[in-house]
């Protein structure tokens, strides 16, 4: 009889390899049923079109200049929304479908299913962002800065979405009901993504909303992307976004892994 | 003795409900332990503890020489688990499911692929190989689940009601597979609700109820207690059921149990009492609609072991 125990000890980087195998699984599933991915792009696009033609004239005088203002925020909305939905929900479904038990009975690191799923998310964000840029360009959005800043904006949005996703990962593992995860994501979506500089500059907002938008990390991410794509002054927005991302990651990633390990 | 796995005094509570209350289980290497028990007896809970999916509240379990609580990852290298409910990814094909698990077990892709083909052939699932698991029939999914748990050629295999949902032919296939595995030195723990299945496969049977063992021994030992076979009698006239019960109890020397719709059963050691039963029933002028000899059911075994009928247990 060949024993797997021997082969496994002779192959290094288990966590990375196992996470990659599980990320591939997740992507194969997205390819077969791309509903969530499409949903994750369409929701921001609907907001984009809605805001553009509803407020464009009022806020910026013309839809063209408003599109330049709006698009970077929609970019962050796309990655945040995908982050809030995908992994938390997928993991929750895995637990319920029982495949979670399969993973847990295998000699793999308990973090591998989480990392695999989140890594697949990053690929999904990139696909979503590419589609979004396509639609943005079709509507008339043009990057005003250089390719490097564009890349930085995209990466910042993806990193932010990735770090934010650990909140719902934690929730997806903690809560039994997938409806609850979904409900949380939608409830959190409103203040988190809309209570920002998304549709109008923060100083034009009413006082209470301004106070919230100013502390909301999503605002920083949107401001940073706007500056990077439109060539404005970046200021400390990028640093703020990165600090917030790190904070979210450092708190919720260990919590999620712990909750995943604890579940029976 | 050298145990492949051994659990002592397992206790597991879910809130107020005590699922296991001091269960002991053990099997020597290369044997089959049959765990027999009705719904809610604690079979699944026991398997989940042995397979490191749950921690016991009290007691300890050692699998392949490693403690399940302190060295779960060492245990996971040695075991294969087929849970009561399928644990395959429904959106992947049968082949992809097998390859994924192979790769998670550190096989290289080619190796995982050939192992997957081998298992698909062994479980007669070649056609299903390219189909998503979600479209497979219940029995096929069950077989796929079994195949997945054997990818890594585990030395210790836990099967939670593995034949539930399989047709009789497939069930025999599974029995054959279990025998082949044990011949190669694999140790198997198998839970079942069928005495017949435990009798056919197990070297040792543990009957559990309400989280503890109520009987334990070889199939032969158990038959000593519960009777090797059971006589089933159904009088044409349901009014005569009570008389039939008296006759059967006198002949068999055990308590007879009236089950549903005027059917009476009594465990017997062997078929030698049959002529006498027929004679006495005829003498009592009882006409029979049904008369047969079969292995006792789990309910009858329970009745013999605990003196409580199925209804009384509820
Ligand atoms: N996660 C859980 N939460 C609460 N109660 C549970 C849980 N798992 C099992 N139980 C309870 O523990 C008891 C034993 O359950 P278990 O699933 O081990 O029984 P079983 O012998 O496998 O039954 P079956 O033949 O129906 O599969 C049952 O009363 C069940 O309701
Ligand atoms: Mg069970």
């Amino acid at each position: 009889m060949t024993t797997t125990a021997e082969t496994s000890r002779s192959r290094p980087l288990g966590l990375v390899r196992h996470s990659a195998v599980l990320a591939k699984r997740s992507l194969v599933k997205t390819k077969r049923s791309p509903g969530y991915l499409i949903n994750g792009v369409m929701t921001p696009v609907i907001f984009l079109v809605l805001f553009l033609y509803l407020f464009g004239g009022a806020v910026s005088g013309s839809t063209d200049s408003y599109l330049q203002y709006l698009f970077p925020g929609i970019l962050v909305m796309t990655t945040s929304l995908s982050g809030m939905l995908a992994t938390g929900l997928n993991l929750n479904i895995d637990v319920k479908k029982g495949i979670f038990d399969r993973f847990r009975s295998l000699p793999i690191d308990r973090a591998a299913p989480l990392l695999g799923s989140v890594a697949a998310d990053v690929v999904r964000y990139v696909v979503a962002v590419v589609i979004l840029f396509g639609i943005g360009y079709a509507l008339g959005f043009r990057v005003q800065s250089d390719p490097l800043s564009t890349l930085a904006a995209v990466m910042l949005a993806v990193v932010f979405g990735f770090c934010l996703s650990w909140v719902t990962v934690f929730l997806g593992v903690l809560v039994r009901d997938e409806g609850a995860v979904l409900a949380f994501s939608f409830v959190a979506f409103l203040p988190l993504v809309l209570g920002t500089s998304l549709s109008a500059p923060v100083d034009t907002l009413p006082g209470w909303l301004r106070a919230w938008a100013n502390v909301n990390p999503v605002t920083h991410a949107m401001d940073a992307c706007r500056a990077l794509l439109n060539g404005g002054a970046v200021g400390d927005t990028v640093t703020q976004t990165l600090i917030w991302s790190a904070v979210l990651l450092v708190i919720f990633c260990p919590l999620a892994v712990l909750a995943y390990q604890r579940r029976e | 003795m050298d145990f492949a796995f051994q659990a002592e005094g397992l206790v597991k509570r879910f809130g107020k409900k005590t699922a296991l209350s001091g269960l002991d289980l053990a099997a020597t290497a290369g044997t089959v332990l049959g765990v027999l028990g009705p719904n809610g007896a604690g079979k699944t809970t026991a398997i989940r503890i042995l397979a490191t999916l749950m921690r016991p509240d009290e007691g300890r379990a050692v699998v392949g020489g490693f403690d399940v609580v302190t060295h779960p990852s060492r245990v996971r290298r040695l075991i294969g688990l087929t849970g009561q409910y399928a644990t395959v990814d429904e959106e992947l094909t049968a082949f992809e499911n097998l390859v994924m698990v192979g790769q998670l077990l550190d096989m290289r892709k080619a190796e995982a692929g050939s192992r997957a083909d081998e298992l698909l052939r062994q479980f007669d699932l070649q056609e299903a190989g390219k189909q998503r698991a979600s479209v497979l029939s219940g029995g096929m999914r069950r077989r796929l689940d079994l195949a997945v748990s054997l990818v890594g050629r585990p030395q210790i295999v836990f099967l939670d009601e593995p034949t539930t949902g399989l047709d009789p032919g497939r069930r025999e296939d599974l029995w054959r597979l279990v025998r082949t595995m044990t011949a190669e030195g694999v140790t198997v723990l198998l839970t079942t609700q069928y005495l017949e299945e435990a009798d056919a496969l197990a070297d040792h049977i543990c009957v559990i109820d309400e989280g503890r063992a109520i009987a334990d021994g070889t199939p032969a030992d158990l038959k000593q207690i519960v009777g090797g076979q059971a006589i089933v009698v159904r009088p044409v006239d349901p009014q005569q059921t009570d008389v039939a019960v008296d006759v059967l109890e006198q002949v068999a020397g055990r308590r007879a149990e009236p089950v549903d719709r005027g059917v009476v059963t009594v465990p017997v050691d062997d078929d030698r009492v049959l002529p006498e039963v027929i004679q006495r029933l005829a003498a009592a002028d009882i006409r029979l609609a049904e008369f047969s000899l079969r292995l006792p059911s789990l309910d009858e075994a329970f009745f013999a072991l605990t003196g409580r009928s199925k209804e009384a247990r509820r």
Side-chain angles (χ1 to χ4, degrees), chain B residues 14 17 19 38-45 84 161 193:
Chain B
F14 297 104
K17 170 87 205 168
N39 289 143
K43 303 182 295 294
T44 300
T45 307
Q84 186 167 3
E161 300 193 26
Q193 308 205 21

Side-chain angles (χ1 to χ4, degrees), chain B residues 3-279:
Chain B
F3 290 113
F5 61 84
Q6 188 175 20
E8 283 170 352
L10 292 184
V11 173
K12 182 75 189 177
R13 298 180 200 92
F14 297 104
K16 277 191 195 137
K17 170 87 205 168
T18 303
L20 295 179
S21 47
L23 181 68
D24 300 330
L25 288 176
T28 49
T31 65
V32 179
L33 171 68
V35 173
L36 194 64
N39 289 143
K43 303 182 295 294
T44 300
T45 307
I47 281 205
R48 290 176 68 85
I49 289 173
L50 287 169
T52 76
L53 299 182
M54 255 179 200
R55 289 156 167 261
D57 294 327
E58 287 168 39
R60 80 188 208 114
V62 175
V63 175
F66 298 104
D67 189 291
V68 295
V69 175
T70 57
H71 293 87
S73 54
R74 304 302 291 269
V75 172
R76 290 182 197 129
R77 287 186 192 285
L78 303 172
I79 61 167
L81 168 69
T82 304
Q84 186 167 3
Y85 306 102
T87 55
V88 292
D89 191 322
E90 308 211 323
E91 284 172 75
L92 297 186
T93 67
F95 181 77
E96 287 167 338
N97 265 294
L98 290 162
V99 170
M100 175 178 75
V101 169
Q103 287 184 302
L104 292 176
L105 286 166
D106 291 318
M107 293 180 181
R108 287 175 200 285
K109 199 165 182 190
E111 189 189 354
S114 58
R115 179 71 179 140
D117 283 330
E118 192 182 337
L119 285 163
L120 288 174
R121 226 174 307 120
Q122 191 179 350
F123 284 87
D124 197 14
L125 285 168
Q126 287 108 314
E127 284 165 42
K130 290 195 184 59
Q131 288 179 304
R132 289 189 202 184
S134 56
V135 302
L136 300 181
S137 76
M140 286 164 104
R141 216 179 300 182
R142 194 81 195 125
R143 269 142 59 208
L144 173 60
D145 208 27
L146 277 160
V148 168
S149 56
L150 300 181
V151 168
R153 298 190 170 86
Q155 295 160 24
I156 299 168
V157 176
F158 300 126
L159 307 174
D160 198 358
E161 300 193 26
T163 56
T164 304
L166 296 188
D167 64 43
R170 301 295 182 195
R171 202 174 56 163
E172 303 250 318
D173 288 347
L174 181 93
W175 289 7
R176 215 170 297 128
L177 175 82
V178 169
R179 291 192 187 106
T180 316
M181 286 196 297
T182 48
E184 289 170 2
V186 175
T187 312
V188 178
L189 185 161
L190 163 136
T191 73
T192 177
Q193 308 205 21
Y194 305 105
L195 192 59
E196 183 196 0
E197 182 159 291
D199 184 39
L201 287 176
D203 299 295
H204 206 89
I205 298 177
C206 179
V207 184
I208 67 175
D209 185 29
E210 294 179 343
R212 64 165 60 88
I214 55 170
D216 192 348
T218 63
D221 294 340
L222 226 59
K223 283 180 195 167
Q224 284 277 312
I225 308 171
V226 302
Q229 288 164 315
I231 293 176
V232 183
V233 166
R234 183 159 64 91
V236 172
D237 179 0
Q239 307 287 326
Q240 293 182 311
T241 308
D242 292 343
V243 191
V245 167
D246 287 343
V247 170
L248 288 175
E249 286 188 342
Q250 281 161 26
V251 181
R254 287 194 173 88
R255 292 190 53 187
E257 187 181 16
V259 284
D260 51 2
R261 280 173 288 114
V263 178
V264 183
T265 69
V266 67
V268 292
D269 295 325
D270 52 49
D271 59 2
R272 271 172 298 186
V273 294
L274 277 187
E276 198 187 341
V277 173
I278 294 179
Q279 228 169 41

Side-chain angles (χ1 to χ4, degrees), chain A:
Chain A
M1 234 174 50
T2 46
T3 60
T4 37
E6 277 153 31
T7 25
S8 55
R9 248 176 258 121
S10 63
R11 291 194 69 191
L13 291 176
L15 180 58
V16 176
R17 261 183 308 108
H18 300 151
S19 302
V21 168
L22 292 166
K24 194 183 144 214
R25 153 186 180 255
S26 181
L27 290 173
V28 166
K29 286 162 65 123
T30 299
K31 207 172 119 203
R32 291 201 184 140
S33 26
Y36 274 113
L37 180 67
I38 292 169
N39 202 357
V41 185
M42 286 324 287
T43 311
V45 166
I46 289 168
F47 274 99
L48 176 69
V49 173
L50 211 67
F51 284 179
L52 187 58
Y53 295 108
L54 277 181
F55 310 139
V59 178
S60 295
S62 79
T63 47
D64 279 353
S65 63
Y66 189 51
L67 180 58
Q68 290 299 133
Y69 176 85
L70 192 58
F71 184 84
I74 295 289
L75 172 69
V76 174
M77 181 199 265
T78 305
T79 55
S80 305
L81 194 65
S82 313
M84 282 165 64
L85 284 178
T87 290
L89 215 54
N90 286 342
L91 287 172
N92 191 268
I93 292 169
D94 277 359
V95 171
K96 223 176 287 158
K97 286 260 163 91
I99 189 141
F100 170 73
D101 280 351
R102 170 67 60 206
F103 294 151
R104 292 204 318 154
S105 71
L106 292 171
I108 57 174
D109 194 294
R110 291 247 171 140
L114 297 185
L115 288 177
S117 189
V118 172
D121 274 348
V122 172
V123 176
R124 282 187 284 261
Y125 299 154
V126 172
V127 173
V129 165
V130 167
I131 298 174
L132 186 72
F133 264 92
I135 294 172
Y137 259 69
L139 289 172
F141 172 76
R142 294 293 177 269
V143 172
Q144 306 294 321
S145 59
D146 50 300
L148 213 63
S149 304
T150 311
L151 191 67
V154 168
M155 277 173 47
L156 195 69
V158 169
V159 165
F160 182 74
F162 168 81
C163 294
L164 186 64
S165 76
W166 284 101
V167 180
T168 37
V169 171
F170 173 54
L171 215 77
V173 177
L174 199 68
V175 172
R176 282 189 191 275
D177 183 13
E178 87 185 66
V181 181
L182 209 58
F184 168 81
S185 297
F186 276 114
V187 169
F189 169 77
L190 293 173
L192 214 55
V193 177
L194 298 184
T196 56
S197 61
L198 173 68
S199 56
V202 173
D203 22 301
T204 66
L205 300 174
W208 59 273
L209 190 56
R210 191 185 320 152
W212 161 246
N214 271 325
V215 297
N216 186 349
V218 184
T219 306
H220 300 307
M222 288 176 174
D223 288 347
C225 285
R226 200 172 292 120
L228 285 167
L229 290 176
N230 288 339
V234 173
D236 63 350
T237 52
V238 172
T239 328
Q240 291 257 22
T241 309
L242 289 176
I243 290 173
W244 266 108
S245 302
V247 169
L248 288 170
L249 188 70
V250 165
I251 295 175
F252 287 99
C253 175
L255 278 179
V257 173
L258 205 71
Y260 192 71
Q261 285 174 344
R262 283 283 172 83
R263 266 199 89 148
E264 291 195 330

